Amino acid sequence: MGRLSRWWWSSLPLRVIALTITGSVVVLALGGLLLMRQASGGVLDGKKRSAVAEASSAVERMQTQLRTSDLRTASLYERLNQLADEAGAQPGQYQVVIQGPVSRFVSPAIFEHSVPDSLVEAVTGNDGMYVTPTTVDWTDPTRADEPGLAIGATLQAPSSTERYPIYFIFPQSNEVRTLSLLRGAIASTSLLLLSLLGLIAWLVARHVVRSVREASVAASRIAAGNFDQRIQVRGTDDLASLGTSVNNMAAELTSQIGQLEDLSRVQQRFVQDVSHELRTPLTTVRMAADLLHDSRDEMQPFAARSTELLHHELERFESLLADLLEISRFDAGAAVLAVEETDLVPLVEREIDAQRALAESHGCSVSFEHPPTALAEVDSRRITRILRNLLTNAIEHSEGKPIELRLAMDGSVVALTVRDHGVGFSPELAEQVFHRFWRADPSRTRQVGGTGLGLAIALEDATLHGGRLAAWGSPGRGAQFHLVVPRTSGASAASNPLPVVPVEEAR
């Protein structure tokens, strides 16, 4: 059923043609049944009226002949036999069965059981004429049984009150052939109409789908960045309105994207200019703050505390400025790699040692699982920065729980995972964590990593190496960041020695 459903919803012409033919079949079937019912009723009613009229005339004629018969020269039995022979001498009209005093007189073309028992019971002992359907059973073995009408009446013997039943069997061969021809004509006409309706539905669907497909292709090309794509509009109908709407959308997108690109360039230029312009006054302020910080022991307690706060905030400001300058280099396409073959194991160990005091202040331990060596052609400064951002981020959100680092490699790539068991984040935020100035904690009460640019820079550094940086998280179960870089500069990072989702969470 799933395959049929996908097949059904994969083609608009199929649905249009199928629904058109299905509806046409229902309408034609109901119309054909109604027509056959009315035609059958009319034909059979006409046959019944003519048969009753003919039977009445025959009974009247036989009764007259029977009254004028001289029974002194012929017996009643002989006269009834003679009447039966005379009636049977009219082929193709009707057959006669007469119930005589001793036996029945039956036309030679039929068997006597062609007269239904119900008609025999109705006629026996009663006056009048009775009609009922029957099946005509022919004595000719090559002739099949066929429907007919049985009409019953009585003949009164001369000079007597005794009555003798007489039955007329009218075959309906002509009517059956007429109705069969009509049925065949209706069926052939219905098939022809279905074929024409199917063809018309296909032509209509093809016309509609062609315009829809043109709109779909144009929308796909626009989505791929080809904003010059347009649809040729014909007429003023709904399909033309669709084409006009797509063209207007493309023009509006082109305008909006152009404005966004201009705004982005202005923003990037602004960040670059501000960052560079701030370096000189920041250096001056930094020098003055260092002098104050070095002589804080000679100050009053409140002045010494203010000096420490100034020194701390200047360090944060300097870090933010450095991040902004790095981001501006990425935006300008000026970031380059200083590649050299590096063993990542001691590099990671050095960074763990550098952050150990911070980890101890948060009450968490850091473990490192690694192979003996892990050589790769990388920019060690950028890899160290990636690791520092990931490790400080894990320490900040660990809530005193252990942090686990794993390093693994294969023939083409090196992979590193940083796993914490702290607050975590929702799975749908796995891409947003790399957005610039995105914060998992909007209250900004934490003391580490306040710029909101660390993970964005880490992602840019990983991409610059031709690698990948991904994240996994679960509220209350922690997070894991997954870095993959090629071992050879310029190669692709297709394989994956370590899973993005922790093994214990994937079960």
Side-chain angles (χ1 to χ4, degrees):
M1 290 301 296
R3 185 179 301 174
L4 288 176
S5 177
R6 288 191 298 271
W7 181 61
W8 172 260
W9 290 107
S10 65
S11 174
L12 178 59
L14 171 66
R15 296 198 298 276
V16 173
I17 295 173
L19 292 175
T20 301
I21 291 179
T22 302
S24 301
V25 167
V26 173
V27 172
L28 291 174
L30 293 176
L33 289 175
L34 180 60
L35 180 60
M36 282 300 303
R37 184 176 180 181
Q38 293 179 342
S40 300
V43 171
L44 296 179
D45 287 345
K47 177 64 175 179
K48 182 178 180 180
R49 288 193 298 269
S50 64
V52 169
E54 191 169 354
S56 299
S57 176
V59 168
E60 185 178 351
R61 184 178 63 253
M62 290 180 179
Q63 185 65 60
T64 302
Q65 292 177 2
L66 191 58
R67 286 197 191 99
T68 59
S69 298
D70 187 1
L71 297 182
R72 292 175 298 177
T73 60
S75 66
L76 179 61
Y77 181 84
E78 292 175 348
R79 188 57 181 151
L80 291 175
N81 190 23
Q82 184 182 2
L83 291 174
D85 291 340
E86 290 176 359
Q90 303 179 23
Q93 296 184 8
Y94 56 82
Q95 306 295 325
V96 176
V97 176
I98 301 176
Q99 180 65 54
V102 178
S103 62
R104 284 184 174 183
F105 303 96
V106 184
S107 296
I110 63 171
F111 289 107
E112 61 178 306
H113 58 256
S114 296
V115 179
D117 294 337
S118 60
L119 182 61
V120 174
E121 294 176 359
V123 172
T124 301
N126 296 312
D127 293 333
M129 185 169 288
Y130 301 89
V131 184
T132 186
T134 188
T135 300
V136 182
D137 189 3
W138 302 101
T139 56
D140 184 357
T142 62
R143 191 171 182 180
D145 297 346
E146 60 186 64
L149 289 176
I151 302 177
T154 57
L155 294 173
Q156 186 174 359
S159 304
S160 173
T161 59
E162 189 173 0
R163 308 183 71 87
Y164 300 100
I166 180 171
Y167 306 99
F168 299 89
I169 306 299
F170 288 85
Q172 294 179 316
S173 306
N174 294 333
E175 289 73 18
V176 169
R177 284 194 294 271
T178 300
L179 294 177
S180 178
L181 289 174
L182 180 60
R183 190 179 298 110
I186 292 175
S188 58
T189 303
S190 298
L191 289 176
L192 178 61
L193 287 175
L194 281 177
S195 301
L196 292 176
L197 288 172
L199 177 61
I200 292 172
W202 179 77
L203 292 175
V204 172
R206 183 169 177 266
H207 173 70
V208 173
V209 169
R210 181 176 60 185
S211 300
V212 174
R213 285 176 177 169
E214 289 178 358
S216 176
V217 170
S220 299
R221 292 176 178 174
I222 292 172
N226 185 10
F227 298 107
D228 295 331
Q229 180 69 33
R230 295 294 185 271
I231 298 176
Q232 183 179 359
V233 179
R234 309 177 187 88
T236 57
D237 56 7
D238 293 339
L239 294 177
S241 298
L242 174 62
T244 302
S245 299
V246 172
N247 291 341
N248 292 339
M249 178 190 69
E252 186 65 23
L253 282 175
T254 302
S255 175
Q256 293 291 336
I257 290 177
Q259 294 178 12
L260 290 174
E261 289 176 347
D262 293 341
L263 180 62
S264 177
R265 284 192 292 268
V266 170
Q267 181 183 13
Q268 292 173 12
R269 183 64 181 173
F270 175 77
V271 171
Q272 293 174 8
D273 292 344
V274 169
S275 300
H276 284 286
E277 291 298 329
L278 286 176
R279 290 189 65 84
T280 299
L282 178 63
T283 302
T284 303
V285 173
R286 178 73 178 184
M287 292 173 60
D290 288 342
L291 289 174
L292 292 174
H293 187 265
D294 291 341
S295 59
R296 67 185 182 279
D297 294 337
E298 303 173 1
M299 300 179 181
Q300 296 293 330
F302 69 90
R305 177 59 180 164
S306 298
T307 302
E308 292 176 353
L309 290 176
L310 175 63
H311 181 77
H312 176 71
E313 293 302 323
L314 277 175
E315 287 183 343
R316 287 173 57 82
F317 184 68
E318 193 173 24
S319 175
L320 174 60
L321 186 60
D323 288 345
L324 287 173
L325 286 172
E326 191 65 28
I327 285 291
S328 67
R329 292 190 190 98
F330 283 119
D331 291 339
V336 294
L337 291 176
V339 176
E340 59 180 352
E341 188 174 55
T342 305
D343 187 353
L344 297 184
V345 173
L347 184 147
V348 175
E349 290 176 337
R350 285 195 300 271
E351 188 58 33
I352 293 175
D353 291 338
Q355 302 298 331
R356 195 171 300 282
L358 180 63
E360 292 175 353
S361 67
H362 284 76
C364 61
S365 61
V366 180
S367 62
F368 181 34
E369 178 183 337
H370 58 86
T373 59
L375 296 177
E377 296 177 358
V378 296
D379 186 332
S380 58
R381 180 181 67 85
R382 295 183 183 275
I383 295 297
T384 300
R385 183 166 59 191
I386 294 174
L387 180 59
R388 182 183 305 118
N389 283 321
L390 298 182
L391 189 53
T392 55
N393 182 76
I395 293 171
E396 180 188 15
H397 298 92
S398 66
E399 296 191 333
K401 297 177 182 178
I403 296 174
E404 302 156 2
L405 280 73
R406 293 183 63 197
L407 183 67
M409 65 178 182
D410 57 19
S412 59
V413 300
V414 178
L416 173 69
T417 60
V418 180
R419 171 81 161 101
D420 69 76
H421 300 271
V423 294
F425 53 83
S426 300
E428 59 269 16
L429 301 179
E431 294 184 2
Q432 295 185 30
V433 296
F434 297 108
H435 292 178
R436 298 177 184 182
F437 299 108
W438 186 87
R439 295 288 299 263
D441 182 9
S443 64
R444 297 181 178 267
T445 58
R446 299 187 182 272
Q447 299 177 352
V448 179
T451 67
L453 293 173
L455 292 178
I457 294 175
L459 178 62
E460 295 287 355
D461 283 334
T463 304
L464 194 62
H465 280 84
R468 305 187 305 273
L469 181 60
W472 169 90
S474 179
R477 303 181 68 87
Q480 175 167 291
F481 286 84
H482 178 268
L483 171 67
V484 179
V485 293
R487 296 184 64 184
T488 302
S489 178
S492 62
S495 58
N496 201 353
L498 294 174
V500 176
V501 180
V503 176
E504 68 273 12
E505 299 293 339
R507 294 172 183 170

